[in-house]
Every structure is written in C-alpha cells, then in structure tokens.
Amino acid sequence: MGELVDLVDKVRKYYKFSPAEWRSILITIFVLAFIIHFGQTIPDADVLTTTAFSVYNFIIAVIVVAISFMWHLSAKKIAALHVGFRAQYNLWTFGILISLVVTFISLAWGRPVWVLFAGGVMLQHLAGHRLGFFRYGLNYYEAGWISMIGPISSIVLAAIFKALSGILPSVFVLKAITFNLLFAFWNALPIPPLDGSRMMFGSRMVYALSFFFVLAAVILLWIDIPIWIALVGSVLIGLLGWILYYIFIERGFWHGPYP
Amino acid sequence: MVSGAFYLRSWAEMFFFVLLVLGFLFSLLTPSAVLSYALIFTVGMAGGRLMFERKNRLTFPYYLMLIGFLIGYLLGAFYGNRNIMVLLFIIGGFLSYYLHDSGIIRDVRY
C-alpha cells in the first residue's frame, strides 16, 4: 500500500511533459499517422471523393496514434517513476525517416508497409526518491525493465481494442489493433534506441521471454480467436521460446558457476 | 587478399559505392515522380541530420557518401525531373540541419 501511495505522489509531482518533449511527441504522432493512413481507397472515385476520404483516414489515424502512443509513453513514464527515474521521450530522426522511406517505396508497389520506428526514452535519476534501499544511479537492468513495459502496454491496449470491437466503429478498431500490435513488434526489436535494445542490454534472458511473448501476441491477437486464449497462448509461447533460447543459444555464451 | 588496413583507409570510398548502389536501387523501386521527390527529400533530411551529428568534426567523407547516394538515385531515376530531385535533396538537408541546429527537433542520444 505504501508503494502505491508513493507512486501516486510521484505521478502527481513528476508526470509532466517538457515543451521539447511535446514537440517530439507531436512530430511522432503526425508522422506515424501519415504512415498508417495509407492503404484504404475507394475504387473508381473522383479526385474530390478520394481527397476527402484520404483526409478522413488521416484524422482517424491521428486519433488512433495519439491514443496508442500516449498510452505507450505513459506506461513507460509511470514504470520509470515507480523504479525511481524520470523518463523523457526523445525523437529518433533516423528511425522516423527510415519509416517514411519504407512507406514511400512500398506505396509505389501498391502495398504500404508499416515500419513504425519512433524514438526512445532517456532516463533521469530522481535522486531524492532513491535514497536508502536502492543502489544509487541508473543501471541496465532497471532501464530494461522500464523499456519492457512499452511493448507490453501496446499489446494490452490492442487486446482492449479487440474486446471493444463490438462497440467502437470497425475502421477505427481495426486500425488501432493493427497499429498497436505492429508498434509493439517494432519497438521490441533490439535496435538502439528502441525499447528492445534496452531490454537486451538489461538481460538477454528477460529479453528472450518478452520478445517471444510480443511476437506470439502479435500473431495470436491478429487472428480471429478469443482474447484470453490469445493472451494465455502468448505467455506459453513466450515461456517456450525462453527455454529454447536458453538451451540452444544462451548456454553456449554462459558457462558460469553452474556447469 | 585485401588487408584490414585497406578498409580503414578506404571506408569512405566503400560507403560511397554502397550508397551509390543503394540510391540506384531505391530510385528503381519508385515508379512515380511524386514518390521519387518525396523519397529524395526524406533522404536529404537524413543527410542533414547526419551532417548535424558531424558538426565541428570530420565531414568530408560524409559529404562523399551522400553525394554517392544522390548520384546513384539520379542514375536510376526514370520518372520526374532530375534537377528538382537535386534541389529537393539540398532543401531537405538544409531544412533538417536547421531544425536540429535551432533545437526545434531534439534527437535521442544513445
């Protein structure tokens, strides 16, 4: 209970966005919305109808990306506060530009591919909140733990949208589910400064578990099966992948105190 | 057999060639003038970001690589005007450099 009160207090005090962070967030939202707004067309429509439909798609995309991205970022910020850090979002310009380049090339072939590289969070130490029990300073394990929350929160949001698919309009829900699943997948890749790289530096074993979980969740939530089966199946596949990773790869790296 | 010292000495030329081929392929993959313009503008912005990163440091090899990409792109460009492509590449580069330099875009450091 004490920890929860402490977390609520920290959220009240430190859950803020700087102007630079807002700029990065807005750029990210608009670019990602631009990427995902392609893909749906009205056949045999005139220019005016096509333009109006494109604008409508873009507005839907902005709403989807804004909700999903803020959820993802807030989860990481709150997780960071829980551990005793303040997370600040920063844009990854090369990532954004790579996503755009892939979109343009794939658009030319009529089938847009969503590569969603956004940015990374920088962690700052909340010194006053880390006295006593905690070891002083930032470490890889905690940074990895905070980053793990990002893809998992996107998977959870995709599951929530899937559960709400009967209530919300189908265009919105389908886009939201697809965006969240793909955003979780791309973020889980071990490319700096994405979340996957921090997770991998934190602990390879935990990374293997969470990566296989995310991969399985992306596939199982996409296909038409009940949500609870998809989530339980993802956890089981994650555990299986984790064990296989240990047996076939990690054991070769690590011949530590356990022969 | 080529020694490691060769790669250390000639990395800029090697990347020039690699980016030239990459630019050529990118250009071939975009069968539309509008998308060609959008793509070269985006790559120009990436170039501006790269030059901002190399500010006050050795920049010539990076100019060489970017020019390699541009030449490759122009060689493969079938749709659109090549002069406009060069112009968009330069504008994208300067715009990106300005946005980063003035702090409007703050990039992640890792």
Side-chain angles (χ1 to χ4, degrees), chain A residues 6-93:
Chain A
D6 186 36
L7 181 62
V8 171
D9 183 55
K10 278 185 202 166
V11 169
R12 275 198 194 128
K13 269 187 190 164
Y14 301 112
Y15 183 79
K16 288 169 189 160
F17 296 90
S18 64
E21 210 174 356
W22 271 120
R23 266 201 303 271
S24 296
I25 290 169
L26 285 177
I27 292 170
T28 306
I29 287 173
F30 279 103
V31 173
L32 294 186
F34 176 75
I35 290 169
I36 71 162
H37 98 282
F38 293 110
Q40 288 155 322
T41 50
I42 306 172
D44 305 326
D46 58 357
V47 178
L48 194 67
T49 314
T50 310
T51 312
F53 187 66
S54 188
V55 170
Y56 166 76
N57 260 339
F58 184 69
I59 292 167
I60 294 277
V62 167
I63 295 167
V64 165
V65 175
I67 292 170
S68 309
F69 187 70
M70 290 311 287
W71 168 281
H72 176 97
L73 193 58
S74 300
K76 276 199 281 196
K77 270 185 173 272
I78 293 169
L81 286 174
H82 177 63
V83 188
F85 300 105
R86 187 157 36 182
Q88 191 192 358
Y89 174 71
N90 274 334
L91 193 71
W92 181 32
T93 315

XYZ file of all heavy atoms in Angstrom, chain A residues 6-93:
720
model
N 3.154 6.104 -2.631
C 4.389 6.753 -3.093
C 4.339 6.991 -4.609
O 4.684 8.070 -5.098
C 5.574 5.852 -2.726
C 6.895 6.520 -3.035
O 6.973 7.746 -2.864
O 7.827 5.821 -3.469
N 3.862 5.958 -5.335
C 3.778 6.071 -6.800
C 2.782 7.165 -7.200
O 3.075 7.977 -8.098
C 3.369 4.726 -7.408
C 3.262 4.694 -8.929
C 4.602 4.985 -9.574
C 2.741 3.359 -9.416
N 1.631 7.194 -6.535
C 0.628 8.219 -6.849
C 1.218 9.612 -6.610
O 1.045 10.530 -7.430
C -0.651 8.001 -6.000
C -1.615 9.180 -6.145
C -1.345 6.716 -6.422
N 1.942 9.743 -5.518
C 2.568 11.033 -5.204
C 3.601 11.418 -6.278
O 3.643 12.563 -6.737
C 3.241 10.938 -3.832
C 3.845 12.271 -3.445
O 3.095 13.275 -3.453
O 5.059 12.327 -3.169
N 4.401 10.423 -6.686
C 5.414 10.692 -7.724
C 4.747 11.074 -9.031
O 5.223 11.974 -9.739
C 6.279 9.448 -7.937
C 7.387 9.277 -6.946
C 8.197 8.082 -7.397
C 8.986 7.470 -6.279
N 9.498 6.157 -6.629
N 3.654 10.373 -9.373
C 2.948 10.689 -10.629
C 2.423 12.123 -10.563
O 2.533 12.882 -11.534
C 1.804 9.668 -10.879
C 0.905 10.127 -12.014
C 2.380 8.297 -11.206
N 1.864 12.502 -9.422
C 1.339 13.869 -9.299
C 2.454 14.896 -9.466
O 2.276 15.935 -10.087
C 0.719 14.041 -7.904
C -0.707 13.562 -7.881
C -1.442 14.126 -6.688
N -2.684 13.407 -6.490
C -3.063 12.859 -5.356
N -2.310 12.959 -4.280
N -4.217 12.244 -5.271
N 3.615 14.577 -8.901
C 4.705 15.565 -8.912
C 5.469 15.594 -10.238
O 5.854 16.646 -10.713
C 5.701 15.220 -7.802
C 5.406 15.885 -6.490
C 6.542 15.617 -5.538
C 6.160 16.071 -4.148
N 7.042 15.496 -3.137
N 5.723 14.410 -10.790
C 6.695 14.344 -11.893
C 6.127 13.920 -13.233
O 6.871 13.887 -14.208
C 7.828 13.370 -11.529
C 8.562 13.745 -10.276
C 8.453 12.963 -9.135
C 9.355 14.889 -10.240
C 9.127 13.302 -7.984
C 10.026 15.230 -9.090
C 9.900 14.434 -7.964
O 10.560 14.774 -6.833
N 4.852 13.551 -13.297
C 4.308 13.129 -14.583
C 4.000 14.369 -15.417
O 2.873 14.858 -15.440
C 3.049 12.271 -14.383
C 2.477 11.743 -15.674
C 3.024 10.653 -16.317
C 1.386 12.368 -16.269
C 2.504 10.185 -17.508
C 0.859 11.905 -17.466
C 1.434 10.821 -18.072
O 0.922 10.371 -19.255
N 5.054 14.884 -16.047
C 4.911 16.108 -16.843
C 5.666 15.938 -18.146
O 6.581 15.125 -18.237
C 5.509 17.295 -16.078
C 4.676 17.727 -14.903
C 5.440 18.695 -14.041
C 4.680 18.957 -12.748
N 5.523 19.487 -11.697
N 5.290 16.754 -19.112
C 5.975 16.735 -20.410
C 6.576 18.113 -20.655
O 5.860 19.114 -20.546
C 4.999 16.399 -21.538
C 4.410 15.024 -21.448
C 3.228 14.816 -20.756
C 5.034 13.943 -22.023
C 2.674 13.548 -20.664
C 4.488 12.667 -21.937
C 3.310 12.471 -21.255
N 7.855 18.136 -20.981
C 8.508 19.422 -21.284
C 8.080 19.884 -22.681
O 7.623 19.069 -23.489
C 10.021 19.249 -21.225
O 10.426 18.369 -22.230
N 8.245 21.191 -22.994
C 7.892 21.659 -24.348
C 8.634 20.898 -25.448
O 8.039 20.567 -26.481
C 8.302 23.130 -24.325
C 8.249 23.519 -22.900
C 8.617 22.301 -22.117
N 9.923 20.603 -25.221
C 10.687 19.847 -26.232
C 10.096 18.457 -26.420
O 10.032 17.928 -27.540
C 12.143 19.744 -25.806
N 9.665 17.866 -25.321
C 9.063 16.532 -25.379
C 7.737 16.578 -26.151
O 7.464 15.693 -26.964
C 8.816 16.064 -23.950
C 8.884 14.580 -23.778
C 8.777 14.182 -22.323
O 8.722 15.060 -21.440
O 8.733 12.975 -22.072
N 6.944 17.618 -25.905
C 5.672 17.766 -26.626
C 5.917 17.883 -28.126
O 5.187 17.317 -28.929
C 4.880 18.988 -26.139
C 3.974 18.675 -24.986
C 4.009 19.244 -23.742
C 2.907 17.708 -24.953
N 3.041 18.686 -22.938
C 2.350 17.752 -23.657
C 2.397 16.815 -25.881
C 1.287 16.934 -23.277
C 1.342 15.995 -25.509
C 0.790 16.061 -24.227
N 6.968 18.643 -28.477
C 7.292 18.797 -29.911
C 7.612 17.430 -30.518
O 7.109 17.076 -31.588
C 8.489 19.729 -30.071
C 8.106 21.177 -30.316
C 9.236 21.935 -30.957
N 10.463 21.893 -30.195
C 10.797 22.763 -29.244
N 9.997 23.750 -28.945
N 11.937 22.655 -28.600
N 8.467 16.665 -29.802
C 8.837 15.335 -30.305
C 7.609 14.438 -30.417
O 7.452 13.701 -31.399
C 9.846 14.672 -29.362
O 11.031 15.395 -29.332
N 6.731 14.514 -29.410
C 5.531 13.664 -29.415
C 4.633 14.029 -30.601
O 4.140 13.146 -31.316
C 4.765 13.808 -28.082
C 5.560 13.149 -26.946
C 3.375 13.186 -28.161
C 5.040 13.456 -25.576
N 4.445 15.332 -30.817
C 3.566 15.765 -31.919
C 4.126 15.346 -33.274
O 3.387 14.855 -34.139
C 3.362 17.285 -31.877
C 2.413 17.769 -30.773
C 2.330 19.277 -30.772
C 1.021 17.179 -30.961
N 5.452 15.528 -33.443
C 6.075 15.110 -34.717
C 5.864 13.608 -34.920
O 5.463 13.155 -35.990
C 7.578 15.465 -34.737
C 7.772 16.984 -34.778
C 8.277 14.836 -35.930
C 9.189 17.436 -34.552
N 6.107 12.846 -33.852
C 5.961 11.387 -33.945
C 4.529 11.010 -34.306
O 4.294 10.184 -35.199
C 6.338 10.737 -32.602
O 7.624 11.182 -32.249
C 6.326 9.225 -32.690
N 3.565 11.620 -33.616
C 2.153 11.271 -33.865
C 1.783 11.567 -35.317
O 1.189 10.721 -36.000
C 1.229 12.029 -32.888
C 1.356 11.435 -31.478
C -0.226 11.954 -33.348
C 0.620 12.187 -30.410
N 2.172 12.743 -35.803
C 1.771 13.095 -37.173
C 2.477 12.225 -38.216
O 1.851 11.829 -39.200
C 1.989 14.591 -37.434
C 0.863 15.417 -36.883
C 1.001 16.125 -35.708
C -0.364 15.451 -37.512
C -0.052 16.861 -35.169
C -1.428 16.170 -36.998
C -1.272 16.881 -35.820
N 3.756 11.938 -37.981
C 4.465 11.108 -38.978
C 3.907 9.685 -38.974
O 3.642 9.117 -40.046
C 5.993 11.115 -38.717
C 6.689 10.127 -39.636
C 6.561 12.491 -38.938
N 3.711 9.114 -37.787
C 3.176 7.742 -37.738
C 1.754 7.695 -38.308
O 1.385 6.741 -39.000
C 3.202 7.196 -36.305
C 4.587 6.981 -35.682
C 4.466 6.305 -34.325
C 5.491 6.152 -36.569
N 0.968 8.747 -38.033
C -0.393 8.800 -38.596
C -0.329 8.901 -40.116
O -1.118 8.260 -40.821
C -1.149 9.982 -38.023
N 0.628 9.679 -40.612
C 0.804 9.791 -42.070
C 1.130 8.416 -42.662
O 0.617 8.053 -43.722
C 1.935 10.785 -42.368
C 2.261 10.914 -43.822
C 1.420 11.607 -44.672
C 3.401 10.333 -44.342
C 1.715 11.716 -46.024
C 3.704 10.437 -45.689
C 2.854 11.132 -46.531
N 1.975 7.650 -41.948
C 2.366 6.331 -42.461
C 1.169 5.382 -42.480
O 0.956 4.667 -43.459
C 3.524 5.748 -41.614
C 4.801 6.542 -41.875
C 3.753 4.270 -41.905
C 5.930 6.251 -40.933
N 0.378 5.401 -41.396
C -0.688 4.378 -41.332
C -1.980 4.815 -42.018
O -2.905 4.020 -42.108
C -0.985 3.936 -39.881
C -1.701 5.032 -39.091
C 0.250 3.470 -39.161
C -2.383 4.483 -37.854
N -2.055 6.052 -42.487
C -3.327 6.464 -43.084
C -3.501 5.956 -44.521
O -4.581 5.966 -45.065
C -3.521 7.984 -42.997
C -3.165 8.737 -44.226
N -1.868 9.020 -44.564
C -3.924 9.274 -45.198
C -1.860 9.699 -45.682
N -3.082 9.871 -46.104
N -2.381 5.463 -45.097
C -2.487 4.892 -46.448
C -3.106 3.498 -46.387
O -3.182 2.901 -45.334
C -1.100 4.769 -47.084
C -0.459 6.082 -47.379
C 0.631 6.527 -46.653
C -0.949 6.889 -48.390
C 1.224 7.738 -46.928
C -0.358 8.099 -48.670
C 0.725 8.530 -47.930
N -3.500 2.999 -47.517
C -3.903 1.597 -47.566
C -5.345 1.374 -47.938
O -5.679 0.341 -48.494
N -6.238 2.338 -47.627
C -7.643 2.138 -47.978
C -8.035 3.133 -49.058
O -7.752 4.331 -48.923
C -8.532 2.342 -46.762
C -8.407 1.204 -45.771
C -8.762 1.639 -44.379
O -8.453 2.746 -43.956
N -9.404 0.759 -43.649
N -8.644 2.660 -50.090
C -9.078 3.540 -51.188
C -10.505 3.192 -51.596
O -10.987 2.095 -51.312
C -8.173 3.378 -52.423
O -8.055 1.988 -52.697
C -6.807 3.990 -52.235
N -11.151 4.158 -52.248
C -12.477 3.874 -52.821
C -12.265 3.650 -54.319
O -11.768 4.540 -55.013
C -13.445 5.058 -52.611
C -13.509 5.426 -51.128
C -14.823 4.727 -53.142
C -14.296 6.692 -50.864
N -12.626 2.472 -54.823
C -12.407 2.222 -56.248
C -13.312 3.089 -57.130
O -14.465 3.358 -56.769
C -12.733 0.727 -56.416
C -13.493 0.342 -55.194
C -13.163 1.306 -54.124
N -12.755 3.548 -58.234
C -13.482 4.344 -59.241
C -14.084 5.634 -58.679
O -15.171 6.057 -59.102
C -14.600 3.507 -59.899
C -14.043 2.221 -60.499
O -12.893 2.270 -60.980
O -14.742 1.192 -60.460
N -13.408 6.261 -57.720
C -13.925 7.518 -57.149
C -13.255 8.695 -57.838
O -12.138 8.573 -58.357
C -13.643 7.560 -55.664
N -13.951 9.880 -57.839
C -13.322 11.065 -58.442
C -12.311 11.676 -57.468
O -12.169 11.219 -56.331
C -14.402 12.084 -58.861
C -15.252 12.514 -57.683
O -15.017 11.979 -56.594
O -16.142 13.364 -57.867
N -11.609 12.719 -57.932
C -10.498 13.294 -57.154
C -10.993 13.847 -55.822
O -10.357 13.652 -54.771
C -9.809 14.409 -57.979
C -8.691 15.049 -57.172
C -9.263 13.845 -59.271
N -12.130 14.523 -55.851
C -12.655 15.156 -54.637
C -13.000 14.104 -53.576
O -12.631 14.239 -52.396
C -13.899 15.980 -54.995
C -14.351 16.962 -53.923
C -13.335 18.068 -53.739
C -15.713 17.538 -54.271
N -13.651 13.051 -53.998
C -14.032 11.980 -53.058
C -12.779 11.308 -52.490
O -12.700 11.028 -51.296
C -14.899 10.915 -53.773
O -15.877 11.579 -54.547
C -15.561 9.982 -52.789
N -11.807 11.059 -53.365
C -10.564 10.416 -52.921
C -9.845 11.286 -51.893
O -9.368 10.789 -50.870
C -9.636 10.152 -54.131
O -10.386 9.499 -55.141
C -8.447 9.313 -53.745
N -9.780 12.612 -52.160
C -9.115 13.526 -51.231
C -9.852 13.561 -49.892
O -9.217 13.499 -48.826
C -9.067 14.949 -51.832
O -8.594 14.864 -53.160
C -8.161 15.857 -51.025
N -11.173 13.655 -49.951
C -11.966 13.706 -48.715
C -11.783 12.416 -47.911
O -11.623 12.459 -46.681
C -13.438 13.900 -49.059
N -11.749 11.292 -48.607
C -11.565 10.003 -47.924
C -10.171 9.922 -47.299
O -10.001 9.390 -46.187
C -11.776 8.864 -48.926
C -11.782 7.510 -48.294
C -12.795 7.137 -47.421
C -10.767 6.597 -48.556
C -12.790 5.884 -46.819
C -10.764 5.346 -47.964
C -11.774 4.982 -47.094
N -9.192 10.480 -48.021
C -7.818 10.470 -47.507
C -7.712 11.327 -46.234
O -7.066 10.930 -45.257
C -6.885 10.999 -48.592
O -5.577 10.849 -48.218
N -8.371 12.495 -46.249
C -8.357 13.378 -45.068
C -9.047 12.685 -43.887
O -8.548 12.707 -42.752
C -9.039 14.733 -45.387
C -9.246 15.560 -44.134
C -8.208 15.506 -46.401
N -10.179 12.040 -44.180
C -10.918 11.303 -43.139
C -10.037 10.201 -42.545
O -9.947 10.037 -41.321
C -12.188 10.728 -43.765
C -12.894 9.692 -42.939
C -13.649 10.075 -41.831
C -12.820 8.341 -43.254
C -14.299 9.111 -41.060
C -13.465 7.388 -42.497
C -14.201 7.773 -41.403
O -14.839 6.830 -40.645
N -9.346 9.469 -43.430
C -8.435 8.413 -42.971
C -7.319 8.970 -42.113
O -6.922 8.357 -41.117
C -7.804 7.718 -44.186
C -8.492 6.417 -44.495
O -9.138 5.844 -43.642
N -8.368 5.971 -45.723
N -6.809 10.141 -42.509
C -5.709 10.746 -41.763
C -6.177 11.160 -40.364
O -5.456 10.961 -39.380
C -5.152 11.953 -42.533
C -3.957 12.570 -41.863
C -2.740 11.902 -41.815
C -4.048 13.810 -41.262
C -1.644 12.457 -41.186
C -2.958 14.379 -40.638
C -1.750 13.694 -40.595
N -7.387 11.720 -40.279
C -7.909 12.131 -38.966
C -8.091 10.916 -38.053
O -7.692 10.936 -36.886
C -9.247 12.907 -39.136
C -8.963 14.242 -39.812
C -9.927 13.141 -37.791
C -10.205 14.956 -40.317
N -8.638 9.838 -38.622
C -8.787 8.593 -37.849
C -7.408 8.111 -37.376
O -7.225 7.721 -36.222
C -9.442 7.483 -38.731
C -10.870 7.859 -39.081
C -9.375 6.115 -38.056
C -11.909 7.545 -38.052
N -6.435 8.172 -38.302
C -5.084 7.700 -37.981
C -4.466 8.535 -36.864
O -3.819 7.995 -35.963
C -4.208 7.737 -39.229
N -4.676 9.866 -36.916
C -4.117 10.740 -35.867
C -4.724 10.369 -34.513
O -4.003 10.273 -33.507
C -4.377 12.233 -36.196
C -4.089 13.115 -34.988
C -3.507 12.679 -37.358
N -6.031 10.141 -34.473
C -6.687 9.785 -33.199
C -6.134 8.449 -32.683
O -5.770 8.328 -31.504
C -8.221 9.714 -33.388
C -8.773 11.095 -33.729
C -8.901 9.202 -32.127
C -10.207 11.097 -34.236
N -6.028 7.478 -33.582
C -5.522 6.149 -33.189
C -4.100 6.256 -32.648
O -3.787 5.752 -31.567
C -5.563 5.174 -34.405
C -4.725 3.941 -34.149
C -6.983 4.786 -34.714
N -3.240 6.957 -33.401
C -1.831 7.039 -32.999
C -1.703 7.841 -31.699
O -0.926 7.457 -30.818
C -0.974 7.667 -34.122
C 0.454 7.861 -33.664
C -0.994 6.798 -35.348
N -2.466 8.927 -31.583
C -2.363 9.759 -30.376
C -2.746 8.941 -29.138
O -2.004 8.950 -28.138
C -3.251 10.990 -30.499
N -3.853 8.221 -29.199
C -4.280 7.418 -28.038
C -3.235 6.334 -27.737
O -2.776 6.186 -26.603
C -5.661 6.767 -28.306
C -6.748 7.849 -28.378
C -6.005 5.757 -27.225
C -8.093 7.342 -28.865
N -2.833 5.610 -28.783
C -1.930 4.467 -28.587
C -0.550 4.915 -28.119
O 0.031 4.318 -27.209
C -1.775 3.686 -29.891
O -3.023 3.386 -30.416
N -0.060 5.977 -28.746
C 1.293 6.419 -28.409
C 1.347 7.013 -27.000
O 2.297 6.761 -26.245
C 1.769 7.441 -29.450
C 3.199 7.810 -29.278
C 4.195 6.885 -29.559
C 3.566 9.051 -28.814
C 5.527 7.205 -29.379
C 4.883 9.380 -28.638
C 5.864 8.457 -28.920
N 0.337 7.788 -26.631
C 0.330 8.381 -25.285
C 0.175 7.296 -24.217
O 0.756 7.383 -23.139
C -0.784 9.429 -25.145
C -0.555 10.690 -25.933
S 1.079 11.416 -25.732
C 0.969 12.087 -24.100
N -0.605 6.285 -24.530
C -0.748 5.136 -23.613
C 0.610 4.457 -23.411
O 1.024 4.176 -22.289
C -1.785 4.172 -24.209
C -1.872 2.826 -23.571
C -1.040 1.773 -23.764
C -2.853 2.378 -22.621
N -1.439 0.691 -23.032
C -2.549 1.024 -22.312
C -3.964 2.964 -22.021
C -3.312 0.266 -21.427
C -4.724 2.196 -21.140
C -4.402 0.875 -20.844
N 1.278 4.179 -24.517
C 2.590 3.516 -24.514
C 3.607 4.343 -23.705
O 4.302 3.821 -22.837
C 3.028 3.380 -25.980
C 4.378 2.805 -26.199
N 4.588 1.477 -26.483
C 5.595 3.382 -26.192
C 5.875 1.258 -26.633
N 6.507 2.396 -26.475
N 3.623 5.639 -23.999
C 4.597 6.519 -23.338
C 4.268 6.683 -21.857
O 5.166 6.670 -21.006
C 4.590 7.877 -24.051
C 5.719 8.829 -23.745
C 7.052 8.186 -24.059
C 5.564 10.102 -24.549
N 2.972 6.819 -21.552
C 2.577 7.000 -20.152
C 2.923 5.766 -19.334
O 3.370 5.887 -18.184
C 1.076 7.259 -20.059
O 0.760 8.410 -20.770
N 2.725 4.588 -19.923
C 3.058 3.354 -19.203
C 4.541 3.340 -18.850
O 4.924 2.994 -17.723
C 2.709 2.149 -20.068
N 5.367 3.750 -19.809
C 6.808 3.750 -19.541
C 7.181 4.814 -18.501
O 8.019 4.582 -17.641
C 7.579 4.005 -20.844
C 7.782 2.738 -21.639
C 8.883 2.854 -22.642
C 8.435 3.579 -23.860
N 9.337 3.387 -24.999
N 6.532 5.967 -18.589
C 6.826 7.047 -17.645
C 6.450 6.628 -16.221
O 7.199 6.872 -15.274
C 6.039 8.306 -18.025
C 6.794 9.210 -18.974
C 6.020 10.475 -19.214
C 6.806 11.461 -20.011
N 7.649 12.340 -19.269
N 5.285 5.997 -16.092
C 4.839 5.591 -14.750
C 5.725 4.457 -14.221
O 6.096 4.456 -13.044
C 3.341 5.201 -14.784
C 2.514 6.454 -15.069
C 2.902 4.572 -13.482
C 1.060 6.211 -15.389
N 6.112 3.526 -15.111
C 7.022 2.450 -14.693
C 8.357 3.034 -14.237
O 8.938 2.583 -13.241
C 7.238 1.480 -15.846
N 8.826 4.040 -14.963
C 10.098 4.677 -14.594
C 9.970 5.358 -13.234
O 10.863 5.255 -12.385
C 10.506 5.679 -15.665
N 8.860 6.034 -13.003
C 8.664 6.707 -11.719
C 8.609 5.689 -10.583
O 9.119 5.937 -9.494
C 7.366 7.526 -11.740
C 7.409 8.824 -12.550
C 6.035 9.456 -12.596
C 8.416 9.803 -11.968
N 8.022 4.559 -10.865
C 7.923 3.503 -9.851
C 9.311 3.043 -9.414
O 9.562 2.768 -8.244
C 7.117 2.338 -10.419
C 7.025 1.170 -9.491
N 6.401 1.245 -8.271
C 7.507 -0.100 -9.593
C 6.486 0.075 -7.663
N 7.159 -0.749 -8.443
N 10.222 2.958 -10.384
C 11.579 2.487 -10.070
C 12.455 3.623 -9.535
O 13.487 3.362 -8.914
C 12.212 1.841 -11.329
C 13.523 1.176 -11.010
C 11.279 0.828 -11.927
N 12.052 4.865 -9.781
C 12.829 5.988 -9.250
C 13.544 6.804 -10.305
O 14.577 7.421 -10.027
N 12.999 6.778 -11.522
C 13.583 7.579 -12.598
C 12.510 8.425 -13.252
O 11.321 8.103 -13.151
C 14.193 6.687 -13.679
C 15.277 5.801 -13.178
C 15.054 4.447 -12.994
C 16.512 6.310 -12.870
C 16.033 3.624 -12.517
C 17.511 5.487 -12.391
C 17.273 4.146 -12.212
N 12.969 9.443 -13.937
C 12.040 10.215 -14.753
C 12.358 9.922 -16.212
O 13.512 10.033 -16.622
C 12.197 11.710 -14.460
C 11.140 12.509 -15.155
C 10.863 13.835 -14.543
N 12.026 14.518 -14.004
C 11.924 15.690 -13.391
N 10.767 16.251 -13.232
N 12.998 16.290 -12.919
N 11.356 9.531 -16.980
C 11.575 9.174 -18.387
C 11.204 10.351 -19.274
O 10.153 10.957 -19.087
C 10.735 7.962 -18.755
N 12.094 10.650 -20.203
C 11.800 11.733 -21.147
C 11.851 11.180 -22.566
O 12.829 10.532 -22.945
C 12.810 12.860 -20.986
C 12.364 14.081 -21.746
C 13.442 15.129 -21.864
O 14.540 14.968 -21.346
N 13.141 16.191 -22.561
N 10.798 11.446 -23.327
C 10.740 10.925 -24.692
C 11.566 11.802 -25.627
O 11.497 13.026 -25.578
C 9.293 10.887 -25.185
C 9.183 10.484 -26.631
C 9.437 9.182 -27.026
C 8.863 11.412 -27.607
C 9.369 8.811 -28.344
C 8.787 11.049 -28.943
C 9.045 9.745 -29.300
O 8.991 9.379 -30.609
N 12.359 11.150 -26.463
C 13.116 11.866 -27.490
C 12.891 11.217 -28.841
O 12.823 9.991 -28.942
C 14.613 11.842 -27.175
C 15.002 12.951 -26.249
O 14.358 13.986 -26.190
N 16.051 12.728 -25.486
N 12.817 12.061 -29.836
C 12.590 11.576 -31.200
C 13.846 10.873 -31.721
O 14.954 11.246 -31.365
C 12.297 12.799 -32.064
C 11.740 12.623 -33.442
C 10.308 12.158 -33.355
C 11.791 13.943 -34.176
N 13.656 9.864 -32.562
C 14.775 9.251 -33.272
C 14.596 9.613 -34.740
O 13.854 8.945 -35.454
C 14.763 7.744 -33.045
C 15.885 7.027 -33.717
C 17.145 7.493 -33.945
C 15.861 5.704 -34.257
N 17.903 6.553 -34.590
C 17.145 5.445 -34.788
C 14.898 4.714 -34.335
C 17.465 4.240 -35.395
C 15.220 3.518 -34.940
C 16.491 3.273 -35.455
N 15.264 10.673 -35.164
C 15.033 11.203 -36.511
C 15.308 10.168 -37.588
O 14.519 10.016 -38.528
C 15.924 12.439 -36.769
O 15.861 13.272 -35.643
C 15.463 13.199 -37.985
